[in-house]
Amino acid sequence: MTDEIVENLKRAIIRYDTKEAEIWAKKVVQEKLDPLRAAKAITETIRQIGEHYGQGELFLPELVGAAEAMQRAMPIIEEEIKKRGEKRETLGRIILGTVYGDIHSIGKNMVATLLIAAGFEVKDLGVNVPPEKFVAAVQDYQPDILGMSALLSTTAPEQRRVIRILKEKSLRDKVRIMVGGAAITEKFAQDIGADAYEATAPGAVELAGKLISD
Amino acid sequence: MAMRGFKLNTQPLQLLTQEQVEAIHQGTLKVLSETGIRIEHQEALELLSEHGCQVDFQKKQVRIPEYLVENCLSKVPSTFLVKARDPKNDLKIGGNTVYFTTFPGMRIVDLDTWKSRPATKKENADAVRVLDALENLHKILCYTPYFEVEGVPPVMAISESVAAKIRNSTKFQLTGYGRHCELFNIKMARATGCEIMGQCCASPPLTYYEDAIESAFRFVKAGLPLHISTGDIFGGTAPVTLAGALVITNAELIAIVVLTQLIKSGTRLVVADFVFPQNMRTGSPAFGGIECSLHHVAFNQIWRGKYGIPTNIASVGLSSSKKIDFQCGYEKTSLALLAALSGANLIQLHGGVHGEITYHPVQSILDDDIAGMIGHFIEGFEVNEETLALDLIKQVGPVPGYYLNKEHTRKWWRKEQFLPQVADRLTYPEWLKKGQKDALVLARERMEKILATHHPVPLSPEQDKAIDEILKEARRYYQQKELI
Ligand code: B12
C-alpha cells in the first residue's frame, strides 16, 4: 500500500497531472505515511524530468507541467512534515522577481522553472516588484538566495536600490543575491554589490547550488 | 507628396476563410466582454467606464461591450498622412502601400567576432545616417537603432535616440516610451516642425501597465499618431494555437483602439503584429520562426482586410542567428515576403540581426536589397500593347533576331528589372579576379561609401539649439528624480 501511494504520486508528476498529484499527496497524509519519504520521491522524480529536459528529450511544456504537479503536492506533504516537527531537506530556498518598472517575465519564469526542477524551493514574486516587496519577502521567507531579473537598463538600478535597503535593514548578510536579465552585466552586478551574475537559466541553477554550498 | 513606397498590385494573400475570420472576431468580442483587459491607469479606467465598459476598479479589469468595439473600430482612419521633417519623406500610410521600416537591436554586433557591445555615439549617429541614405527604407523605428549607447544614461536612451534620428535623418520616426520621456520627445518633434509617432505596448496576456497607457494618452492628446503593439508569445504569454493567439492579439489591440478613439475620435493608428512562437528548449521567443508568418498573414487579413486599419508587421526583422549569415537571410526574407504579399502596410525589416539584441548598419544595407526585391515583386508588371511587344516580336523574328540592341529594351529594362545594390552577380571568372567578394563584403563597402558621401539635410542652427535645450531639460528632470 505504502509503495503504491508513493508510486502513484510519482506517476502523477510524470504525467503532469496536478489533480492526481494533489489526491495522492493527501493520501500520503491520510494513510500516515512517512512524509519525508514522499517529499524525497517527489524531488527525485522532478529531478529526473529535469535531466530528460537537459538531454533534449523533454521540452519546456513538459518540464513546467511536472513542476506544477509537484508544486501542488509538495505544500500538502510539507505541512505534514511541519506538524511532525520534522524538516525537509531542500537544495535551498530562493525568492525570484523582476524589478520595479520592468514587466518582462519570460526569462524570470524560465529560471524559476529550472530551479524548481532541480529541487530548489522557489517563491516567485512576479514582475514589476517594488523594492519594499523584495525586502519584505526576504524578511518573511528567510530565503537562502534572492534572485532579481532586469531586462531594461532603465530599471536595472532598482536592483541596487533593493540591495541598499537590505543593507539599511541589516538583512544583506542574511541572503545571497544573484542577478540576471538582458540588461545586466557581470560588471554591473559587482558594482551594485550582488554576489553573482548569470546569463542563462541552466547556469542560474548551477550558480544557486554554488552560492548555497559556499 | 508623400513617399511612394511600394504598391501591392494584387489580391492580398489570405489564409483564412470568411467564416474563420468571423470566428476569430467573435472570439475576440467574447474575450473583451467576458474576460476583459487589465489596464493599470486610473484615467483610462474612468473614461472606459463612462462609455459603458464594465470596470472593476480594484482589479483594474475592463470588460468592453461589443457595440463600443464596433463603433470605435469604425472611427480609425484607414489611410492617413504623417509629416516627416522633409515633406518629400511624408508617409501616406494605409491602402495597398507597403513601406519598409527598421528593426532595432540593443547593441551593435562586431562583424568579426559576432559579439555584441554598446554602440558609441558616433556609431549610433552613423547607423541613422545609413538609414537616411537607403532608398527602400521609409520610416525609422524607435531606438536609434541601439538602446545601449556609451555615455548615454539609460533613462535618456529613448530621448537621445529621438534627437539622433531628427539630426541624422529627415525620414519619419516612431518613438518608444517610459519614465515620461514622451514629454521631451514630443517637444523635439514640435521644435523641428515634424510629427512623431508614439507607441503603446501591451504586456501580454491581456494587460497594459501604466507607462504604456500614459504614452497613449500623451500622443493622442497631442494629436499625434500612435503605434499599438502586443508581444504575444505562442505557448508562453498566449495560447500555443495560432487561432487562440490571434484572439489574444486582437483583444489586446482592440482595447487600445477603443481607448484611443474615446480620448479622441479619428486618432491615427497603426496596429503592430509583434509575435513569436516560444522556443520550447530555451524559453526565448523563437525569432524568425515561420509560425510568425502564419500569424502575420491572418493578422493582415483581419486588420487591414476586415477592420480597415493599417498594419505594421513587426516580428520580421530579427533572426535567431547571431550572425549576418544564411539563416539570418532566409528567416528575414521569408517573413518579409509573406508580410508584403498579405497586405502589410509597414514591415519592420532593416538592420536587426539577433533577437532584438543586436543591430548593424551593414545588415540594414543587405535588407534594403531584400526590400527592393520584395517591392519589385509585389508591384507585378504591366500587360498592355507596348509590353506585350507583339510588333517587336514580329520585327525581330527567330534567330539571329536579338533584343539587346532595341529601343524597347532600353526603354523598359530598368522598370522591368530590379538591380540589387550589394548582391554578388558577377560571372565566376570576374568574381575570381575582383577579390571573390560576397554580399557581406559588398555591403560593408557600401556602408563606407554612404558614410563618406551621404549628409542628410541638417537642422537649422535654431532647431539644433532647441534640441539641445530639450535634452538638457530632460537630463535635469531625471537628475531631480535621481535617475541619473
Ligand atoms: C519579449 C520582449 C518583450 C515583451 C515582454 C513579454 C513578457 N511577458 O515578458 C514585450 C513586448 C511586452 C516587451 C516590452 C518592452 N520591452 Co522588451 N523585449 C523582449 C525581447 C524581444 C525578449 C525578452 C525575452 O523574453 N527573452 C527570452 C528570455 C528567456 O531571456 P531573458 O529574459 O534574457 O532571460 C534569460 C537570462 O537573461 C537569464 N535571466 C533572466 N532573469 C534572470 C534572473 C536571475 C536571477 C538570473 C540568475 C538569470 C536571469 O536567464 C534567462 C533564461 O536564459 C527583448 C530582447 C531580447 N532578446 O532580450 C526585448 C528588450 C528586453 N525589451 C526592451 C524594451 C526597451 C522594452 C520596452 C521598454 C519597449 C518600449 N516601451 O519602448 C517595453 C518594456 C515595458 C516595461 N515597463 O517593462 C529592450 C531593453 C533595452 C535595455 N537595455 O534597456 C530589449 C533588450 C530590446 C531592445 N531593443 O533593446 N518586451
Side-chain angles (χ1 to χ4, degrees):
Chain A
M1 187 61 189
T2 311
D3 280 349
E4 203 182 305
I5 293 174
V6 175
E7 280 313 305
N8 280 328
L9 181 55
K10 281 162 79 175
R11 193 167 314 128
I13 292 167
I14 290 171
R15 291 185 177 161
Y16 327 115
D17 191 331
T18 46
K19 269 194 212 129
E20 285 284 309
E22 188 177 334
I23 291 172
W24 291 106
K26 282 183 177 158
K27 272 261 161 59
V28 167
V29 179
Q30 274 164 19
E31 302 289 326
K32 301 199 169 26
L33 304 185
D34 178 4
L36 284 173
R37 201 185 131 209
K40 202 163 162 226
I42 293 175
T43 350
E44 255 162 35
T45 311
I46 193 81
R47 221 174 290 161
Q48 276 166 18
I49 291 175
E51 269 166 31
H52 288 298
Y53 164 80
Q55 285 153 8
E57 292 153 16
L58 290 178
F59 288 80
L60 280 175
E62 287 87 29
L63 188 61
V64 172
E68 292 208 341
M70 165 191 174
Q71 283 182 308
R72 188 71 77 86
M74 204 53 122
I76 299 165
I77 307 282
E78 258 174 355
E79 210 184 290
E80 182 63 17
I81 297 176
K82 243 197 219 149
K83 254 192 219 153
R84 293 188 179 196
E86 287 169 314
K87 224 181 149 234
R88 168 165 88 94
E89 292 285 316
T90 73
L91 287 182
R93 188 181 290 175
I94 301 179
I95 285 180
L96 269 186
T98 303
V99 298
Y100 185 60
D102 187 345
I103 56 84
H104 291 88
S105 60
I106 298 164
K108 184 250 321 149
N109 292 352
M110 177 77 191
V111 172
T113 304
L114 293 203
L115 285 171
I116 291 168
F120 290 93
E121 200 184 324
V122 176
K123 169 94 188 151
D124 186 347
L125 301 180
V127 298
N128 200 20
V129 179
E132 300 74 35
K133 199 169 160 191
F134 275 118
V135 174
V138 169
Q139 230 155 5
D140 296 350
Y141 296 102
Q142 303 183 339
D144 300 289
I145 298 178
L146 169 62
M148 289 184 282
S149 181
L151 270 85
L152 299 172
S153 25
T154 40
T155 59
E158 295 291 342
Q159 300 188 334
R160 174 178 290 150
R161 201 163 297 174
V162 173
I163 295 177
R164 203 173 61 203
I165 303 179
L166 285 173
K167 276 187 189 148
E168 283 164 14
K169 302 209 161 181
S170 309
L171 289 166
R172 176 63 188 91
D173 299 336
K174 300 205 156 53
V175 66
R176 302 289 163 84
I177 295 177
M178 62 179 190
V179 293
I184 304 298
T185 59
E186 182 89 59
K187 184 174 173 308
F188 178 82
Q190 281 171 3
D191 286 352
I192 63 167
D195 293 307
Y197 156 81
E198 171 52 45
T200 70
V205 175
E206 264 174 55
L207 177 63
K210 228 179 84 204
L211 283 176
I212 287 175
S213 64
D214 273 357
Chain B
M1 256 297 260
M3 268 183 162
R4 182 179 178 280
F6 296 104
K7 308 291 174 208
L8 176 65
N9 284 328
T10 173
Q11 278 305 312
L13 170 69
Q14 299 192 336
L15 281 178
L16 305 175
T17 63
Q18 282 320 306
E19 294 74 53
Q20 290 172 326
V21 170
E22 204 43 41
I24 290 166
H25 178 64
Q26 289 303 328
T28 306
L29 293 175
K30 210 166 146 74
V31 168
L32 284 168
S33 64
E34 290 178 8
T35 313
I37 303 271
R38 193 168 121 215
I39 298 183
E40 300 218 336
H41 194 282
Q42 188 62 22
E43 191 181 347
L45 294 178
E46 283 166 13
L47 185 66
L48 289 159
S49 167
E50 277 164 30
H51 285 84
C53 295
Q54 202 188 321
V55 176
D56 179 334
F57 282 89
Q58 201 140 42
K59 288 188 179 155
K60 303 180 193 305
Q61 200 121 338
V62 185
R63 294 183 177 79
I64 307 176
E66 179 177 342
Y67 71 88
L68 192 60
V69 169
E70 303 287 1
N71 184 8
C72 291
L73 279 173
S74 71
K75 288 186 172 152
V76 184
S78 56
T79 56
F80 57 83
L81 197 78
V82 293
K83 274 181 63 194
R85 182 152 78 77
D86 182 339
K88 79 172 191 323
N89 289 337
D90 290 353
L91 302 178
K92 194 166 180 231
I93 296 175
N96 70 338
T97 299
V98 180
Y99 289 126
F100 284 93
T101 170
T102 52
F103 202 98
M106 182 165 73
R107 300 184 184 131
I108 187 168
V109 63
D110 184 289
L111 296 184
D112 299 311
T113 63
W114 300 108
K115 290 200 174 131
S116 74
R117 60 167 171 80
T120 63
K121 273 194 177 169
K122 180 171 183 309
E123 283 166 336
N124 194 43
D126 283 351
V128 180
R129 208 141 57 83
V130 168
L131 292 170
D132 192 68
L134 296 178
E135 38 290 275
N136 302 319
L137 187 275
H138 309 101
K139 172 179 171 183
I140 308 183
L141 240 83
C142 52
Y143 325 132
T144 17
Y146 307 111
F147 198 94
E148 295 187 0
V149 179
E150 273 175 25
V152 174
V155 276
M156 286 294 293
I158 295 179
S159 294
E160 287 272 6
S161 127
V162 170
K165 280 179 284 182
I166 291 181
R167 285 185 161 131
N168 294 291
S169 173
T170 57
K171 290 181 181 174
F172 183 71
Q173 67 160 300
L174 173 87
T175 172
Y177 61 88
R179 303 255 169 178
H180 310 291
C181 69
E182 312 85 74
L183 294 172
F184 308 108
N185 304 342
I186 292 173
K187 269 193 189 171
M188 284 189 271
R190 292 243 160 93
T192 50
C194 59
E195 287 190 311
I196 187 170
M197 188 176 275
Q199 199 184 357
C200 169
C201 182
S203 302
L206 305 176
T207 303
Y208 283 88
Y209 284 97
E210 189 168 10
D211 54 353
I213 300 297
E214 195 57 40
S215 169
F217 267 96
R218 287 191 172 126
F219 278 88
V220 177
K221 283 184 179 166
L224 291 168
L226 191 72
H227 163 117
I228 58 183
S229 170
T230 60
D232 311 303
I233 295 166
F234 322 147
T237 58
V240 76
T241 46
L242 281 149
L246 279 159
V247 168
I248 282 274
T249 307
N250 261 13
E252 286 162 353
L253 292 177
I254 286 180
I256 301 305
V257 170
V258 170
L259 178 66
T260 53
Q261 300 309 307
L262 291 180
I263 304 171
K264 199 182 226 169
S265 177
T267 287
R268 293 166 291 172
L269 294 180
V270 163
V271 286
D273 201 25
F274 185 51
V275 293
F276 302 95
Q278 165 115 300
N279 176 332
M280 294 302 185
R281 174 120 307 278
T282 65
S284 156
F287 310 106
I290 196 66
E291 302 78 7
C292 300
S293 288
L294 288 167
H295 195 284
H296 297 157
V297 172
F299 181 89
N300 279 332
Q301 189 177 347
I302 295 166
W303 281 87
R304 189 164 85 86
K306 182 176 169 68
Y307 305 150
I309 299 179
T311 60
N312 170 104
I313 302 301
S315 26
V316 163
L318 65 181
S319 166
S320 281
S321 175
K322 319 301 174 287
K323 299 182 178 180
I324 301 177
D325 62 1
F326 184 73
Q327 180 183 342
C328 182
Y330 75 69
E331 287 180 347
K332 294 185 77 170
T333 308
S334 312
L335 272 58
L337 179 60
L338 289 164
L341 283 175
S342 55
N345 295 112
L346 286 144
I347 300 173
Q348 283 181 237
L349 174 67
H350 286 63
V353 185
H354 173 66
E356 216 183 332
I357 292 286
T358 54
Y359 178 101
H360 203 284
V362 160
Q363 177 74 50
S364 70
I365 289 172
L366 291 161
D367 291 331
D368 206 54
D369 273 351
I370 301 177
M373 267 175 80
I374 292 174
H376 188 79
F377 182 83
I378 62 170
E379 296 250 349
F381 50 86
E382 281 181 53
V383 180
N384 58 34
E385 204 183 322
E386 197 180 345
T387 60
L388 282 167
L390 297 183
D391 288 346
L392 185 65
I393 292 169
K394 190 169 177 185
Q395 180 201 331
V396 172
V399 173
Y402 192 48
Y403 290 91
L404 190 59
N405 57 356
K406 296 295 175 284
E407 163 69 21
H408 185 267
T409 306
R410 283 194 296 281
K411 176 167 176 193
W412 281 94
W413 85 272
R414 281 178 192 275
K415 194 162 184 316
E416 294 277 317
Q417 294 191 6
F418 167 66
L419 278 184
Q421 298 264 2
V422 297
D424 160 36
R425 287 186 147 190
L426 292 177
T427 64
Y428 184 67
E430 275 177 291
W431 176 79
L432 285 178
K433 276 190 189 158
K434 289 197 167 166
Q436 307 179 18
K437 293 174 188 169
D438 59 17
L440 189 54
V441 174
L442 294 166
R444 283 173 94 148
E445 289 179 1
R446 184 169 187 219
M447 179 180 77
E448 298 308 328
K449 201 168 145 200
I450 289 174
L451 291 176
T453 57
H454 181 77
H455 301 288
V457 182
L459 292 174
S460 70
E462 299 77 48
Q463 287 174 328
D464 202 65
K465 197 159 160 260
I467 297 282
D468 268 340
E469 289 303 321
I470 297 165
L471 287 177
K472 264 189 217 148
E473 187 192 337
R475 229 165 280 135
R476 274 197 305 274
Y477 173 86
Y478 291 120
Q479 270 158 356
Q480 269 168 16
K481 298 205 149 195
E482 291 181 19
L483 291 167
I484 298 186

